[in-house]
Every structure is written in C-alpha cells, then in structure tokens.
Amino acid sequence: MATVPNLHLAPPPDAKVIKVVIGQQYGQEVIKPASPEAEIFCEMTNTKTLTRRMVEQIKRLGYRIEVIPTEPKEL
C-alpha cells in the first residue's frame, strides 16, 4: 500500500524559492510577487497578488517562500 506524503512538512533547504513582499492595501493584507517565479504563479491564476491559500498550495509543490522586508518610508 502506498503511503501519502505529509504535505505539512517544511520544504527542504535546497527547494526552489519564490520571493514575495507582504504589504497592506485598503486595510487588507496583500502578498505581491518579488521574483519572476512568483510572477509566473500570479500569471497562472490571472491575479496581481497571491493569497495565503495560494502560498500554502505553492509550498505543497515544494517551493520555499522568502518574504522580502519592506523599508519604512520617511517623509
């Protein structure tokens, strides 16, 4: 009998990486692509941003998500 892999395990350190930036827009969290690979996932879903659910599914494919910190803006 075949075993089902545990999909909640962390991806291996050598996994492919997509980079994203987390921000706020109209009081809602937005996850914007910050790498060509992340942009491809947005193109596949015909969106400009990713959702938390999409990020979880991308992780299930074996990708590692790297969040790029945003710089505080000065006035």
Side-chain angles (χ1 to χ4, degrees):
M1 177 186 241
T3 60
V4 177
N6 186 348
L7 299 176
H8 298 287
L9 293 175
D14 60 342
K16 291 184 181 179
V17 176
I18 69 166
K19 297 180 182 182
V20 298
V21 174
I22 299 177
Q24 293 284 321
Q25 187 171 355
Y26 301 111
Q28 300 293 317
E29 179 185 74
V30 291
I31 305 171
K32 297 180 181 179
S35 68
E37 296 82 4
E39 289 177 11
I40 290 171
F41 281 106
C42 286
E43 288 173 12
M44 288 171 52
T45 57
N46 199 28
T47 61
K48 292 185 179 182
T49 61
L50 301 168
T51 64
R52 287 277 177 172
R53 183 170 185 234
M54 291 165 67
V55 168
E56 289 304 318
Q57 291 172 339
I58 292 167
K59 286 181 180 180
R60 287 176 61 189
L61 290 172
Y63 285 82
R64 190 167 50 86
I65 311 299
E66 183 177 315
V67 178
I68 306 296
T70 56
E71 296 292 323
K73 296 180 181 175
E74 241 183 87
L75 297 176

